[in-house]
Amino acid sequence: FIRCFNVLKFENLELVLCGRIPPATLKLISGNPKIKQLGFLSEAELHQVCSKVDAFINPRPEGVEGGETNFPSKILEFLPFGKMIISTITPGLAPYYKDVLYCYQSNELDTLKNTLAMLSTMSDAEAAAIKTKTDSFLYEYKNNELIKKQLVDWMNGFVN
């Protein structure tokens, strides 16, 4: 993702990275003033950053080994903020998440470029529509009983 971000030039977009940054990634981001590295943050600091950003990115490669066994925890963390979530679609992601994700393919620069272009020109009304859509999604799909059932079904798929 960062290689692609470095190639694409959107004047009004910044990339904010939180958490551990691998050495190879540090090399990729060095010298790019459009990429901010915040490192590890407290829960309160992270919540504040998440409240300020315009979008989230889930850049996991589609073909990552073990992808079919990964539950989309980052996406679940992003959803309550009601903002654009730019993501790849990994095998472990339930199909209905496509309703609230802005998808790109990690090996196709144009799909990311198109999604970032949409983000860079998003109006307040479009951002509000994304929030409404996300809130509806959370209400419909993410109530506690449904989450429990989905998690049990998902785990049973590995046991049976």
Side-chain angles (χ1 to χ4, degrees):
F1 175 84
I2 292 177
R3 281 188 185 90
C4 292
F5 188 84
N6 281 336
V7 169
L8 302 171
K9 304 294 183 200
F10 288 96
E11 290 302 315
N12 62 337
L13 294 182
E14 273 185 352
L15 181 61
V16 178
L17 303 175
C18 300
R20 187 180 83 74
I21 314 282
T25 302
L26 287 172
K27 287 180 185 176
L28 289 173
I29 66 174
S30 68
N32 187 337
K34 303 294 275 175
I35 301 177
K36 306 246 184 275
Q37 171 190 326
L38 301 182
F40 289 100
L41 303 174
S42 69
E43 285 293 319
E45 292 168 325
L46 183 60
H47 190 273
Q48 185 177 19
V49 168
C50 290
S51 296
K52 290 181 180 178
V53 300
D54 293 318
F56 298 100
I57 303 196
N58 181 46
R60 182 175 299 250
E62 298 92 331
V64 70
E65 187 174 326
E68 64 282 350
T69 62
N70 284 322
F71 195 74
S73 60
K74 289 290 181 219
I75 292 172
L76 290 176
E77 290 177 34
F78 298 156
L79 282 169
F81 290 96
K83 300 183 180 186
M84 180 184 228
I85 301 172
I86 300 168
S87 182
T88 56
I89 299 297
T90 57
L93 193 63
Y96 54 79
Y97 279 96
K98 290 180 185 177
D99 293 344
V100 291
L101 298 178
Y102 293 79
C103 304
Y104 77 99
Q105 294 175 322
S106 61
N107 61 348
E108 293 186 24
L109 185 62
D110 282 345
T111 61
L112 179 60
K113 181 179 180 181
N114 294 340
T115 305
L116 291 177
M118 184 187 314
L119 173 62
S120 73
T121 60
M122 187 183 336
S123 69
D124 290 344
E126 290 168 320
I130 288 172
K131 172 133 182 59
T132 299
K133 184 176 169 183
T134 303
D135 289 347
S136 295
F137 176 85
L138 286 170
Y139 181 77
E140 182 176 348
Y141 288 107
K142 295 295 143 205
N143 66 60
N144 286 336
E145 291 307 311
L146 184 56
I147 288 174
K148 289 177 196 172
K149 181 184 179 327
Q150 290 170 340
L151 189 55
V152 168
D153 290 347
W154 181 75
M155 290 169 51
N156 283 337
F158 296 104
V159 175
N160 296 329

